[in-house]
Amino acid sequence: QVHLVESGGGLVQAWGSLRLSCAASAPTFSRCYMGWFLQAPGMEREFVATFRWIGGSTYYADSVKGRFTISRDNAKNTMYLQMNSLKPEDTAVYYCAARYSDYASIRTNDYDYWGQGTQVTVSS
């Protein structure tokens, strides 16, 4: 069973920065893909970024390319999302997610494990 806990959300002004954290516990990180998703009020949950925990490429949604960076600390079993140049439209609940697979996915339904979410609010 994979257990995920997000932290680091908050209120920030436009063009500011935040770093989200996702503490992960898992029986193994082999073949594990981790991802970040967001859900704005009244909207469906959507993909932000994903990478394979052990090696592999990183993928970003077009809306965050160049502004957000996904990374990990293997020693702490923690994934991060560094968010720079934040915009009011980035306001949402941000979730981390995990799946075991041989390939990456941007589909919400492909992820089996989810954290509880952390609120990010960007003021104009």
Side-chain angles (χ1 to χ4, degrees):
Q1 189 74 6
V2 177
H3 186 58
L4 305 171
V5 179
E6 301 98 334
S7 62
L11 174 65
V12 63
Q13 290 188 331
W15 302 107
S17 297
L18 276 177
R19 189 178 76 161
L20 306 183
S21 300
C22 174
S25 62
T28 178
F29 286 102
S30 176
R31 295 179 62 246
C32 182
Y33 278 88
M34 302 281 292
W36 288 99
F37 291 77
L38 65 83
Q39 188 166 18
M43 304 294 285
E44 293 188 353
R45 199 168 296 187
E46 62 183 59
F47 168 75
V48 175
T50 184
F51 73 101
R52 183 169 175 163
W53 188 271
I54 301 176
S57 300
T58 301
Y59 303 90
Y60 294 95
D62 288 343
S63 59
V64 306
K65 281 181 181 176
R67 298 190 300 125
F68 292 8
T69 303
I70 192 172
S71 64
R72 70 187 181 281
D73 184 328
N74 290 330
K76 297 181 179 179
N77 288 349
T78 299
M79 176 177 68
Y80 302 99
L81 185 68
Q82 178 66 44
M83 305 186 295
N84 299 327
S85 302
L86 282 161
K87 305 174 183 179
E89 51 263 43
D90 295 321
T91 294
V93 177
Y94 284 72
Y95 298 89
C96 66
R99 65 192 291 258
Y100 289 101
S101 177
D102 291 323
Y103 57 91
S105 174
I106 66 171
R107 289 160 42 94
T108 305
N109 289 344
D110 285 342
Y111 287 77
D112 300 306
Y113 305 98
W114 293 87
Q116 82 286 355
T118 185
Q119 176 72 46
V120 172
T121 303
V122 184
S123 63
S124 58

